[in-house]
Amino acid sequence: MVLGTVKAKAIRWLEDNRGLVIVLFCLPASFLFDLFIQFRIWLDRKLSATTSHQQRVQKIQDQVTEWSKLPDSEQKPLCTARPNWLSLSTTFFDKRKCHQVPIDLHDVLSLDEKNLTVTVEPNITVREICKFLIPKGYTLAVTLEIGDATLGGLAFGVGMTTYSHKVGLYQEAIVSYEVVTADGNVITVTDSNEHSDLFYCLPWSHGTLGFLVGLTLRIVKVKPYVHMEYIPCHSQDEYCKKIMELSGATDKNTKVADYLEVTIYDKNEAVIMVGNFADVDSKSNAKVNDVCWFYKPWFYKHVETFLKKGGEEYIPLESYLLRHNRAIFWVVESMIPFGNHPVFRAFLGWLCPPKPAFLKFTTTQAVREMTFAKQVFQDIVMPLDTLKEQVDTAVKLFDTYPLLVYPCRIYDHKGGAPQGQLRAPPKSRLVPGTNYSMFNDLGVYGTPGQVERREPYNPTHAMRAMEKFTRDVGGYSFLYADIFMSEEEFNEMFDMTLYNQVRLRYHCDGAFPRLYDKVKPEIDVISIGETYAVKKEE
């Protein structure tokens, strides 16, 4: 009894003083941890410099071949040896139950300026590819805003950005994959060769169909800056209508901006951001704002200042692409409530953000359960014409702001036939005269309002209700985050038809985990959510 009381008081103290704890312990430790990780990666690259890409891939093939020779009783499912804490997923897949294969592939292999493609190994990060491409006048067609995300992780998971209203999800920018299969063969996978069925299933597969050892991505020509226009909106109808128009969702001939996003600050207050590649002359130089300097306000806080009156500015391209990195969108505010204070930014802003890898590395079972129960991290892809209902539902269930909205094309590549885990959008939702529909990512991150106010909150109820809404409107939950669906509900949200056929053709059954088993939470989210809700109500 006494121990339980002490534990409860300790948890409450940590909750009330979480910012202080993170500043005093987590930020310095995270900084040192990241230095170690960067040194290890640098060392790995130095050691691998004496080998070719083909030799490194052959080493992976050899390990898969050795696995295939094991007795059936010793053949555990295959997975990469990359530690869970290095991924950006909120879950902790139990790799101890798998046969782990190291994938030490960290190089940019080639740049094809004629065909506008870049070929990379899968562990290249977003930050690294930005530093490689931007000085040469290019960037990826789809560039995630978090610098530590790997290009391979995005390829087998999912990614989108503010350019996605022009090109679609990250998978639409992939020209080819280089994959080691369960048989130990290395194959090149494109949308038009004999492996086209696999091409459409590799996105959203999360490493359940093979090992990714290389990929070729489309790039776009760019200018050094992004000209930003900030458009304040003061009603829900206003921002829902404007984003439909600006994204080209109602007319394929609409001249759309290079970058487009919305940050919603409450149900009736939002800022639409319209960005275009630009050069800067001497007259415009005064309007340049490098938003990534550590002493600058967090980007979403900076954008909020345009609610009263719109405005414009120029942001250096790399800083624009990584504009949300310092605050991990707005997640850091939940960790360090005073993190955007000018004094904190001036003296300690350079330590932010705490590295996701460090936070995961130090996560205990108890911390994992408490974090899951008291925070929400969800990205959900849904039809843009349901944006009003999306916001209403998210606010009702989670009562947290801001909300992120990125318009994004979802294509019908096969005339309605199975095309991977994402179904072709219904014909009624296609933009007239095209083979795509305009969807959007709704990003919900942070601490639910009920938790902030210490009111009853049932994360199980909230997330299952959000997932049901998503299924009802024909949307999809990003699988990096906790899911609460049963396997039957999962198969209702995602189209597993082609995926199951591909697993048979490429002998994945028994060799790789199934998708649902790979992405479902390692903890009993239903039970923990219900237990937490009961505690709140007592």
Side-chain angles (χ1 to χ4, degrees), residues 423-436:
R423 293 180 177 84
K427 291 183 178 180
S428 60
R429 277 209 159 101
L430 295 179
V431 176
T434 75
N435 67 332
Y436 62 83

Side-chain angles (χ1 to χ4, degrees), residues 390-533:
Q390 295 175 36
V391 173
D392 289 345
T393 302
V395 171
K396 177 183 176 182
L397 295 173
F398 305 111
D399 192 19
T400 186
Y401 292 101
L403 299 173
L404 171 145
V405 176
Y406 289 177
C408 173
R409 293 181 182 183
I410 299 292
Y411 286 86
D412 177 358
H413 287 291
K414 295 190 172 186
Q419 56 171 27
Q421 290 80 288
L422 299 196
R423 293 180 177 84
K427 291 183 178 180
S428 60
R429 277 209 159 101
L430 295 179
V431 176
T434 75
N435 67 332
Y436 62 83
S437 174
M438 195 62 68
F439 278 54
N440 69 276
D441 172 27
L442 180 71
V444 187
Y445 323 120
T447 304
Q450 301 92 323
V451 174
E452 290 279 7
R453 297 187 297 271
R454 291 176 177 161
E455 297 173 357
Y457 172 69
N458 187 326
T460 299
H461 166 77
M463 275 310 309
R464 284 189 58 77
M466 193 72 215
E467 288 174 343
K468 183 179 186 305
F469 173 80
T470 302
R471 293 194 301 272
D472 289 345
V473 299
Y476 307 93
S477 299
F478 279 27
L479 299 178
Y480 79 86
D482 289 319
I483 59 172
F484 292 67
M485 294 173 276
S486 67
E487 189 164 7
E488 181 180 356
E489 291 166 334
F490 182 86
N491 292 339
E492 180 185 337
M493 178 179 287
F494 295 95
D495 184 359
M496 306 304 289
T497 306
L498 188 60
Y499 174 87
N500 289 331
Q501 294 172 6
V502 162
R503 280 187 67 88
L504 287 174
R505 180 184 173 191
Y506 294 92
H507 309 128
C508 297
D509 289 334
F512 293 100
R514 293 192 61 79
L515 180 56
Y516 180 78
D517 294 329
K518 184 74 180 290
V519 300
K520 68 181 180 181
E522 81 291 351
I523 58 175
D524 187 346
V525 291
I526 304 296
S527 174
I528 294 169
E530 295 294 342
T531 300
Y532 179 78

Side-chain angles (χ1 to χ4, degrees), residues 350-364:
W350 58 276
L351 285 171
C352 285
K355 289 295 181 180
F358 173 77
L359 296 176
K360 287 192 71 175
F361 182 76
T362 56
T363 295
T364 65

Side-chain angles (χ1 to χ4, degrees), residues 204-239:
W204 300 75
S205 69
H206 290 264
T208 61
L209 298 175
F211 289 120
L212 182 65
V213 295
L215 68 160
T216 298
L217 295 147
R218 292 188 179 89
I219 58 176
V220 294
K221 292 182 178 180
V222 297
K223 294 181 179 180
Y225 294 88
V226 176
H227 173 257
M228 295 292 291
E229 179 185 2
Y230 300 95
I231 305 172
C233 297
H234 302 291
S235 76
Q236 197 175 32
D237 287 339
E238 182 184 8
Y239 65 73

